[in-house]
Amino acid sequence: MAVCRIYSRRRGRSGTCLVVLTAILIVGCLWYRELIHLKRPRVDVLFQGYSSPGVVAPNRSCSIPVFRAHSRRTDRNISCHRIQPSQQSCERAEKYVNGQEPPKCGQHTELCSIEFGEKKHYLRCHNEACPFGGWSLGTFSSEEGDIIWTSFLTASMLEEHFQFLVDYKDASIGSGIAFVECRVYLENRTMSEDAESKTSCVPKKKGGLTGSELQSQQLLIFPNITKQIKNTFGGAYANLNINILLLDSVSHSHMFRTLPLSLQQLRIIDEDLSHGPSVFNFDRMQSLMPITHESLQVLLTGKILSTRHVLPVRAMFSTLKNRGYDILWHEDLCWHDYGLGKYFGTFSETSLPARWNKFLELLKSHSIDYFGASLTSCEVTHSNCAKDPFQKKVMCYNGRYHHWYILEYAKQMQSIYQRAGKPYFQYTELNIGHTKVGTTIKTLDKNLATYLRYLSTLENTLTLILSDHGNRYTEYAITDDEGFLEQYHPLLFILAPRNFADYVGSSGMENLAGNQDKLISFLDIHLMLRYLLDMSPIIDDPPYSNFDLKPRGLLDPVSSSRTCSSLPLFRGSECICDTVLNGTSTTQASGHVVLAELGLGFLNNRIQTQAHQEAGDLSKGSCRKLIGVNISNVTETQKTSNITEVKMRISTQQGRPFAKPDVFSFAFDISWDTQSVSVGWYGPVSVYGKYDKCRDERVDRLMCVCDARPAGQLDTHSANDSFTNSIHEPIFNLTSTVKMISRCLTVRERRRQEGMILEGWNLCRSGTVVFEVSGVTNNIAISSKLPTTFRIPGGQSMFLVAFLAVGGAEEWSVSYEVRVH
C-alpha cells in the first residue's frame, strides 16, 4: 500500500487530497482503488444562475431594428426584453453584409413569349433566337414524375404542340410550366469546352435532341387552371384567402440588413391608411427550434413533439378542403431530394417513378391541389450543377434568379383565384437564405418588393411573411454571439386586408397591434389560423395546457409577463429574452469543463459504437475523436426545484483541411435529489455537411469530424487511432493521469477543482476487456450509477463516468474502485 499527500491551491486557498493506491492481483481479478478528497471553496456563480462572457453583451449601445420609429403599441410592461447585441457584433454584421455582393445572373434570352388571353394562352417563338432550328420543349409528366423533352425542327411546330397541351390536356398538379431549349446539332458546330464542362454535371434528359449543344434556354410560367376552378362553397370566412411566404434562414435583424427595398415597400403599404392592408411587424418572435421541419410542424399542425420525416398536415388541409379552399404549395427545392418529398417520407422508394407515384398519392391524400412551381426546381437545380440551393451562391436560369419564377407563378395563381372568387391557401417557401453566404438573400430584395406591391392590391387576403429561424451556417452565425442568437429570432410580418376586422372583430385587430412587441412563437400563429378555419381549440389539452396560450393566438392579448419558460422550447434552443438569466460572471467554473467532457465523451462513445458495428473491425471508420478545446456561452436555468439545466457551446479540434474549430451545442440536466448529471440534448453549431464526403455512413452526420482532403493527402493511420493516440494530449488544457489497471486496461483520470472524469482504454488489439467501476461519493453528482460494468472492445477507448461537485458544497470526495473480470 502506498500513501501520498497532495496539496492543491485553488483560487488562493489550499485543499488536501488523500490518495490511497492499492493493487492486489487475485486469480481472475485485478483490483484498483483510489480515494480523492478535496476542500472546495464556495463558488457563487456555479449552478446559481450563470452566464459566460458574451451571452449578455457588455456594450448595449446597439439596438435590435424595429419597423416603426413611433409604435402603435400600448402595453409597456413587457417582461421579455431582447438580449441586446454589442456594438462590436453589429459592426461585424454590417461589415459582413456590406463586404460581400452575391453574383448576378447573366443575360436573359427570350426564345418565346406567351400572349395571355382571357380564355386561351398563345405561344410565340422567335426564329431569329434559334437560327439553326434545334427546338426542344420540356413539360412535366404526371405519369413519370420528370420533365419529358420533345424535339421540333421549327418554331411553328413547337407552338402547335404547346397549343395542343394548353387546349386539350386537363390541368394537373404540375401544370403551368414548360422549358424551351435551343440546340445546335454537332455536325453543324463543334461543342465548346465550356459547354462540355457545363453539361457534364447535368443528368441526361428524357427525349429531346441527342448529339447537340445547348445554346439557350427559357422557363415559361403560364398557370392554365381557370376552367378547373369553381367556387363551390359560400360559408363564413370562405372568401378569406391565406397566403404564407416563408423565407428560410432569415432572422429579424438580417431582413433589415439585407432587404431595404422590401422594407421600404412595406412602409409604403403601412402608411397608406386609405387603401391596402394593415402591416404588423412582430419583433420578438421566438423560434422553438431552429430547424425547418419542426417549425413547419408547429405552424401547420400545432404539434410540438417531433415527428421527424413526416409532416402531419392532413388534418388542417382536410379542414381547408371542407371549407371550399384550394391548396397551393410552392418551393424552390427538388421534390425527390428535399422539401415536401422529404417531409412526406418518400425517400424509402429507390426508383424515381416509384418515389413519384408515392409522392403523388400523398399530395392527393393531403388535399394539395397544385405543386407546379415546385416542379421547376429539379431542372433548375440540376442545370446549376447542384443537388440543392444550399451550397450555391445563386441559382439562375436564363438570366433570372430561380425565386423570380417561383414568385411569378405564385402571383399568377393568386390572380386567377382572385378573379374566380374561390378561396385559396397558398404556401410558398424560398431557401435563398439557407446558404453559408449570408448575403445571398440580397438577390431576393427587388423581386420580393415587386411581389409585396402586388399583394397590397389584393382583397380578402391575409398574408404572413415569416422565417423559421435565422441563418445557422454563416461565419457570423458560428463565431459571433449575436449571430448565434439570431438563429432563434425569426422574422414575422402580417398583412391584414382592410376588411379583416369583419372576420376577427375590432378586438382582434387591436390585439394584433398590441402583440407586436410581446414574446410570441409559431404556436400563436397556428392558433390564429385554427380560429380563422373554425377548427376546434386545443389549448386545454395536454401538453398545451402547460403553457401560456390563448384560444385565438395572436388575435387574443398575449400576456405581457410571458417569458421563454411559458413556451414549449425544444431542448437546446436559446431564449432571445434577457430575463432567462439570474446572474452573470466573467469567469468560467471548472465544473462547466467537467460537463463539457461528459458531453464530448457521450458523443465519442456513440461514434465508436456506430463506426465499429462489426466487432473488432478497427480499419473501418473515418470519424475522429472529438477533442475539447474551449467552452463558451454557458447559461444555467433552474427548471424545477430539483433540476438545473446548463447549456453551453463546446469547440473541438477541426477536421482537415478546415482551419476553424468545430462547435457543438449541449444541454445538460443536473438532478439534485438523485445527485445525477446527464446529457439532455446536443447538436452541431458548425456546418456539418462539409464532412459528408469523408464521413462514415454508419455514423450520425451530426457527430462526425473527419479528414476531407483528397485521398492522396490523407494520413496513413486510421481514424480509430485518434481515440487511442490522444492518451497524452491535453483535453481543455489538462493532461490525463494514466493508471495501469491490467495488461490490457488503463484508466485515464482528469481531475479538476469542481470534479473529475474517468476514461478507459483497451490496449490489446483483440479481445474485449470487462470491468466494474464502483465507488462512494460525497457532494457529487454522477453521470453513471455505480457500480457499473463496462465492456471495451480491443483497441478502443471509452468515456466511463463524470463526477461533478454540487453547487455550494464546501468539500467533495470520490472513492472509486476498478475490478477487472
Side-chain angles (χ1 to χ4, degrees):
M1 177 179 293
V3 180
C4 70
R5 185 171 296 276
I6 300 176
Y7 296 93
S8 141
R9 183 171 298 276
R10 304 179 69 252
R11 301 178 191 164
R13 298 190 186 185
S14 63
T16 302
C17 173
L18 176 62
V19 183
V20 181
L21 307 178
T22 305
I24 304 174
L25 183 61
I26 307 175
V27 177
C29 176
L30 192 75
W31 179 32
Y32 174 87
R33 171 184 292 172
E34 179 147 344
L35 170 66
I36 300 102
H37 182 276
L38 280 178
K39 187 170 183 179
R40 171 182 180 274
R42 186 179 299 275
V43 182
D44 292 334
V45 298
L46 187 59
F47 312 128
Q48 295 178 20
Y50 175 92
S51 71
S52 69
V55 177
V56 178
N59 186 341
R60 293 174 178 260
S61 60
C62 179
S63 300
I64 300 299
V66 294
F67 181 62
R68 299 183 186 88
H70 303 287
S71 176
R72 301 174 184 171
R73 308 159 191 172
T74 57
D75 191 344
R76 309 314 308 162
N77 299 315
I78 308 295
S79 294
C80 174
H81 299 281
R82 172 62 156 82
I83 296 175
Q84 295 296 305
S86 67
Q87 186 66 33
Q88 183 182 21
S89 289
C90 291
E91 291 174 355
R92 186 179 295 122
E94 291 299 326
K95 181 179 179 181
Y96 181 73
V97 169
N98 296 329
Q100 299 186 51
E101 289 298 326
K104 297 181 179 180
C105 294
Q107 185 69 29
H108 175 71
T109 301
E110 187 171 279
L111 295 171
C112 304
S113 58
I114 297 179
E115 298 176 4
F116 292 93
E118 185 174 345
K119 294 184 178 180
K120 281 190 175 185
H121 302 332
Y122 300 93
L123 185 68
R124 296 291 179 260
C125 296
H126 315 301
N127 283 310
E128 65 275 11
C130 191
F132 294 100
W135 295 93
S136 292
L137 178 69
T139 55
F140 188 83
S141 169
S142 296
E143 290 75 32
E144 299 190 42
D146 204 355
I147 302 295
I148 304 300
W149 292 84
T150 306
S151 301
F152 305 92
L153 294 177
T154 66
S156 59
M157 295 172 64
L158 187 151
E159 293 169 354
E160 291 176 4
H161 184 73
F162 176 86
Q163 203 63 49
F164 169 79
L165 296 177
V166 171
D167 292 343
Y168 296 102
K169 290 197 68 173
D170 291 336
S172 66
I173 201 163
S175 64
I177 62 169
F179 294 89
V180 178
E181 289 187 350
C182 173
R183 290 182 170 270
V184 177
Y185 289 104
L186 292 186
E187 54 262 32
N188 296 329
R189 182 174 173 182
T190 303
M191 180 178 284
S192 65
E193 293 183 2
D194 290 342
E196 287 180 340
S197 63
K198 181 176 181 181
T199 58
S200 62
C201 64
V202 180
K204 186 177 180 180
K205 299 178 183 294
K206 292 187 177 182
L209 294 174
T210 58
S212 61
E213 176 189 350
L214 175 66
Q215 292 298 295
S216 54
Q217 55 193 5
Q218 185 178 359
L219 171 55
L220 302 174
I221 299 295
F222 56 99
N224 184 39
I225 60 173
T226 303
K227 59 185 178 182
Q228 272 74 30
I229 297 178
K230 296 179 181 179
N231 190 358
T232 58
F233 190 87
Y237 304 139
N239 290 326
L240 179 64
N241 306 307
I242 299 175
N243 180 41
I244 298 176
L245 173 60
L246 187 140
L247 308 179
D248 190 8
S249 302
V250 182
S251 71
H252 171 87
S253 296
H254 203 55
M255 178 179 184
F256 281 79
R257 295 187 198 110
T258 57
L259 302 176
L261 296 178
S262 301
L263 285 167
Q264 181 183 16
Q265 185 60 47
L266 285 167
R267 290 191 172 102
I268 292 173
I269 298 171
D270 185 53
E271 292 168 0
D272 184 1
L273 301 180
S274 59
H275 300 86
S278 300
V279 180
F280 302 93
N281 174 229
F282 298 81
D283 57 24
R284 291 171 212 188
M285 174 88 156
Q286 170 73 51
S287 174
L288 301 180
M289 187 175 189
I291 298 179
T292 305
H293 179 277
E294 278 74 3
S295 298
L296 272 183
Q297 178 177 282
V298 175
L299 176 67
L300 299 179
T301 74
K303 295 183 181 296
I304 56 178
L305 299 176
S306 178
T307 55
R308 197 67 174 156
H309 302 312
V310 177
L311 191 63
V313 295
R314 197 188 307 266
M316 172 172 275
F317 285 5
S318 295
T319 300
L320 285 163
K321 293 302 293 183
N322 291 336
R323 298 190 66 79
Y325 282 81
D326 274 3
I327 300 172
L328 325 174
W329 187 289
H330 317 302
E331 59 187 17
D332 58 355
L333 299 172
C334 180
W335 68 268
H336 54 72
D337 291 323
Y338 291 97
L340 198 58
K342 181 177 181 180
Y343 297 151
F344 279 174
T346 61
F347 288 5
S348 59
E349 302 293 341
T350 55
S351 69
L352 183 61
R355 188 177 294 184
W356 168 252
N357 289 331
K358 181 177 180 179
F359 184 52
L360 183 60
E361 179 183 339
L362 287 167
L363 287 173
K364 293 178 179 178
S365 66
H366 284 76
S367 305
I368 296 175
D369 294 283
Y370 295 105
F371 192 68
S374 312
L375 297 174
T376 67
S377 300
C378 296
E379 182 71 20
V380 172
T381 302
H382 295 160
S383 71
N384 281 268
C385 297
K387 186 178 180 180
D388 57 67
F390 308 140
Q391 307 300 323
K392 299 287 288 186
K393 291 184 178 180
V394 291
M395 298 290 284
C396 298
Y397 197 89
N398 188 22
R400 285 174 172 161
Y401 296 115
H402 186 202
H403 50 71
W404 182 91
Y405 297 100
I406 301 292
L407 292 178
E408 179 65 21
Y409 191 100
K411 183 175 70 174
Q412 291 190 30
M413 291 289 280
Q414 287 178 271
S415 296
I416 294 172
Y417 276 90
Q418 294 282 153
R419 290 193 298 268
K422 182 174 177 62
Y424 60 88
F425 178 97
Q426 177 170 266
Y427 173 83
T428 305
E429 179 182 321
L430 299 177
N431 288 269
I432 191 65
H434 192 291
T435 68
K436 293 185 290 185
V437 182
T439 55
T440 310
I441 190 66
K442 286 183 173 183
T443 64
L444 178 64
D445 196 20
K446 182 179 179 180
N447 293 328
L448 178 57
T450 301
Y451 182 56
L452 289 169
R453 191 178 307 116
Y454 166 76
L455 293 177
S456 68
T457 66
L458 301 183
E459 297 181 351
N460 303 315
T461 302
L462 177 70
T463 294
L464 280 65
I465 302 169
L466 72 169
S467 63
D468 47 355
H469 53 79
N471 197 305
R472 303 172 58 196
Y473 306 106
T474 64
E475 181 180 356
Y476 178 65
I478 295 173
T479 61
D480 189 271
D481 292 324
E482 170 61 19
F484 179 75
L485 190 63
E486 285 184 15
Q487 299 177 37
Y488 304 91
H489 189 181
L491 67 93
L492 173 61
F493 280 87
I494 293 181
L495 277 63
R498 285 178 295 169
N499 61 340
F500 195 51
D502 296 340
Y503 301 115
V504 303
S506 58
S507 63
M509 296 295 289
E510 292 172 0
N511 292 329
L512 271 179
N515 290 333
Q516 290 179 96
D517 58 354
K518 296 176 183 177
L519 183 66
I520 65 167
S521 75
F522 269 29
L523 199 51
D524 297 295
I525 305 174
H526 174 75
L527 292 172
M528 177 181 69
L529 295 176
R530 290 186 75 90
Y531 171 77
L532 293 174
L533 298 174
D534 200 25
M535 297 177 69
S536 59
I538 58 174
I539 65 169
D540 294 329
D541 303 329
Y544 307 101
S545 56
N546 299 327
F547 304 104
D548 176 20
L549 300 171
K550 297 294 179 65
R552 300 195 303 169
L554 295 178
L555 301 175
D556 284 327
V558 173
S559 173
S560 300
S561 61
R562 179 189 274 187
T563 61
C564 287
S565 60
S566 305
L567 296 177
L569 262 67
F570 288 80
R571 293 301 303 269
S573 294
E574 297 289 333
C575 180
I576 65 173
C577 308
D578 61 10
T579 53
V580 70
L581 302 176
N582 301 317
T584 63
S585 172
T586 57
T587 61
Q588 285 186 353
S590 67
H592 297 136
V593 181
V594 174
L595 290 176
E597 291 234 46
L598 169 62
L600 294 184
F602 172 81
L603 293 190
N604 285 327
N605 284 353
R606 295 193 65 186
I607 291 171
Q608 287 199 107
T609 300
Q610 293 177 12
H612 303 143
Q613 292 176 4
E614 300 176 19
D617 188 356
L618 302 183
S619 62
K620 296 185 177 180
S622 56
C623 302
R624 305 180 65 82
K625 181 176 182 179
L626 302 175
I627 305 294
V629 176
N630 185 37
I631 63 174
S632 61
N633 294 72
V634 183
T635 62
E636 296 180 13
T637 305
Q638 197 69 30
K639 306 296 287 187
T640 68
S641 59
N642 292 319
I643 302 291
T644 297
E645 180 186 67
V646 182
K647 294 181 181 179
M648 66 178 69
R649 277 187 277 174
I650 304 175
S651 300
T652 71
Q653 92 293 352
Q654 70 276 11
R656 296 180 179 179
F658 306 105
K660 295 182 179 180
D662 287 286
V663 183
F664 295 84
S665 180
F666 280 87
F668 301 94
D669 292 324
I670 303 172
S671 174
W672 302 115
D673 54 351
T674 62
Q675 292 199 328
S676 61
V677 57
S678 60
V679 176
W681 179 90
Y682 73 91
V685 176
S686 307
V687 180
Y688 53 86
K690 62 186 180 183
Y691 294 116
D692 281 349
K693 292 183 179 180
C694 62
R695 175 179 66 90
D696 188 334
E697 290 296 330
R698 293 170 294 188
V699 177
D700 186 344
R701 67 196 298 251
L702 302 183
M703 302 186 299
C704 186
V705 172
C706 51
D707 193 334
R709 294 177 298 174
Q713 301 177 20
L714 297 178
D715 297 329
T716 56
H717 57 267
S718 68
N720 185 71
D721 293 337
S722 67
F723 288 85
T724 55
N725 290 347
S726 59
I727 186 169
H728 298 297
E729 186 172 355
I731 310 294
F732 293 111
N733 300 316
L734 182 64
T735 303
S736 304
T737 300
V738 181
K739 321 263 186 200
M740 289 293 302
I741 308 301
S742 70
R743 181 179 62 87
C744 290
L745 177 63
T746 67
V747 170
R748 286 170 281 186
E749 175 190 299
R750 287 187 292 278
R751 190 183 311 165
R752 303 181 189 274
Q753 294 173 342
E754 278 89 26
M756 58 180 286
I757 67 96
L758 299 178
E759 287 182 323
W761 180 21
N762 186 351
L763 299 174
C764 300
R765 298 292 292 179
S766 62
T768 298
V769 62
V770 181
F771 60 98
E772 180 184 271
V773 176
S774 59
V776 178
T777 64
N778 180 42
N779 292 327
I780 284 290
I782 190 170
S783 62
S784 296
K785 187 177 180 181
L786 299 183
T788 298
T789 299
F790 297 94
R791 293 174 172 83
I792 305 180
Q796 296 186 30
S797 64
M798 177 182 291
F799 182 89
L800 303 178
V801 62
F803 302 95
L804 180 67
V806 298
E810 291 289 344
E811 299 180 357
W812 63 270
S813 62
V814 174
S815 174
Y816 70 91
E817 298 176 353
V818 181
R819 294 176 179 266
V820 180
H821 298 305

